[in-house]
Amino acid sequence: MTGTVSDPDSLRERALAALLAARDRTSLLTTCVEEPELTAQHSPLMSPLVWDLAHIGNQEELWLLRAVAGRDAMRPEIDGLYDAFEHPRAERPSLPLLAPAEARRYAAEVRGRALDVLESTPFRGSPLTDAGFAFGMIAQHEQQHDETMLITHQLRSGPTALTAPDPAPAPPFTGPSEVLVPGGPFTMGTSTEPWALDNERPAHHRLVPPFFIDTTPVTNAEFQRFIAAGGYEEERWWAPAGWGMVRGNKLSAPLFWRRDAGQWLRRHFGTVEAVPPDEPVLHVSWYEADAYARWAGRRLPSEVEWEKAARHDPASGRSMRYPWGDADPTPERANLGQRHLRPATAGSYPAGESPLGVRQLIGDVWEWTSSDFLPYPGFAAFPYREYSDVFFGGDYKVLRGGAFSVDEVACRGTFRNWDHPVRRQIFSGFRTARDAGPAGAGPAEAV
């Protein structure tokens, strides 16, 4: 979909492609391991894989078969089992969940009926069906759970179950370390993207002072310098709760890292490898990102700064869908969709850079911002409060940009992710920023 296409036939084809792509990925993530691996809880932070599988089917039934098509419930007795708000993740293994084979049959039966609904539903007449919103929402929901299942695969012990080619080698990046984003008005959010979720809406104007932002995400090598300088040992770099997290858990490096024979190693989807120096750092909490930025004499960008860096076109003054323009992501522009199981080298994807020259704003790693997760002016919950509204104002920080683990249907310049600042199992990294100052110029002092 290029731009904000509203043609029903094109949107129907896009919805079909998005639903099929999501189900192919779900199948891959749930057939690459044996049944005991599907029913086990690999971390108290995560559900058993089989719960995600049936939950995907249940949500599709709730919204596409019942809400859109008005059909009777297929399995009303399981609704409570797969209600994410009724049962926290830690207790889901003790529930009478559908067995893997039954969960697959249920999800497949729902999908068959949902495709019939897709074919016959007019893409107009109600907010839920306008532009095929419900179908886009369900495709995004499944892909979000696919990312959750990929996180579970990273957390599980045992041999490698997933494989994918590495990103193509990129030449060393020789551009500037930071770019100036000019101050001025900026249109944040969207009122026109057909499948944008409620927290991305509505479009609204913001006045943003000038600032500098890193051209690429912070790399493993750069983060190792923070470690070597005693970053995890000096309280002055840390927010109080972050320092408590470090001391209480005896943290000394990103999640999955360990020091051995003088080098940093990490566990990565069932294998142990040397930490790649030029990749964006991965599996760091907001507190770690914030501490690094303080140590470097910088800060994390705010959410509005991040979005302006990603969407602002200084030539026209308008906000684009993506850093490169309005066209959909391609493999040349961004590392998305689990095509690879790792970030690409920092400085990759020149075809995806913004007009100001910022790279990898979409894909590779989720990027922590300094902002709390709050509603935009004029926010309206749709189609249910539990997607966004119940999380506003809590202990959540916003992440932007998506990662290699995110499908393009659930990733755009306006897309907002959020999590607790202690979370490290997610595919999170960051880049830093600094105020431009009155003159709006001058390089940051190196540490």
Side-chain angles (χ1 to χ4, degrees), residues 7-212:
D7 172 63
D9 290 338
S10 297
L11 284 166
R12 200 179 310 275
E13 290 176 7
R14 176 173 171 80
L16 175 61
L19 288 167
L20 295 178
R23 189 51 49 88
D24 285 346
R25 188 177 175 197
T26 299
S27 178
L28 171 65
L29 290 162
T30 56
T31 58
C32 63
V33 291
E34 299 296 326
E35 182 168 323
E37 295 286 293
L38 295 175
T39 57
Q41 186 174 45
H42 299 282
S43 165
L45 296 173
M46 312 304 291
S47 306
L49 292 168
V50 73
W51 186 92
D52 287 288
L53 174 59
H55 171 77
I56 285 166
N58 187 244
Q59 287 295 295
E60 189 165 330
E61 184 196 348
L62 286 171
W63 288 104
L64 300 188
L65 303 190
R66 300 188 207 175
V68 172
R71 298 186 182 183
D72 292 337
M74 292 170 55
R75 300 283 300 268
E77 75 280 4
I78 69 172
D79 287 353
L81 297 176
Y82 298 103
D83 184 332
F85 286 86
E86 189 168 331
H87 299 287
R89 288 174 174 176
E91 69 180 43
R92 290 172 190 171
S94 64
L95 300 174
L97 303 177
L98 300 183
E102 189 177 6
R104 288 194 182 97
R105 284 194 297 270
Y106 169 63
E109 185 176 357
V110 171
R111 172 51 57 88
R113 298 183 187 189
L115 294 183
D116 291 338
V117 173
L118 172 63
E119 188 174 340
S120 61
T121 299
F123 277 17
R124 63 184 184 279
S126 78
L128 201 57
T129 58
D130 285 348
F133 175 82
F135 299 94
M137 178 184 74
I138 287 300
Q140 291 178 82
H141 174 266
E142 182 163 354
Q143 287 284 4
Q144 287 171 319
H145 276 272
D146 288 340
E147 181 179 16
T148 298
M149 289 193 283
L150 187 63
I151 293 169
T152 302
H153 275 280
Q154 167 64 6
L155 287 164
R156 62 177 281 275
S157 59
T160 300
L162 296 167
T163 60
D166 286 342
F173 179 69
T174 57
S177 62
E178 61 176 10
V179 299
L180 174 66
V181 180
F186 167 65
T187 301
M188 188 176 190
T190 180
S191 297
T192 57
E193 186 75 28
W195 297 347
L197 303 173
D198 59 4
N199 62 59
E200 301 171 64
R201 300 173 181 271
H204 57 287
H205 296 297
R206 301 288 295 268
L207 187 63
V208 186
F211 65 97
F212 285 93

Side-chain angles (χ1 to χ4, degrees), residues 220-244:
N220 290 318
E222 290 168 329
F223 201 84
Q224 285 172 21
R225 288 196 283 273
F226 167 68
I227 298 172
Y232 281 88
E233 300 164 10
E234 293 195 41
E235 183 177 0
R236 60 180 171 145
W237 306 128
W238 298 83
W243 184 244

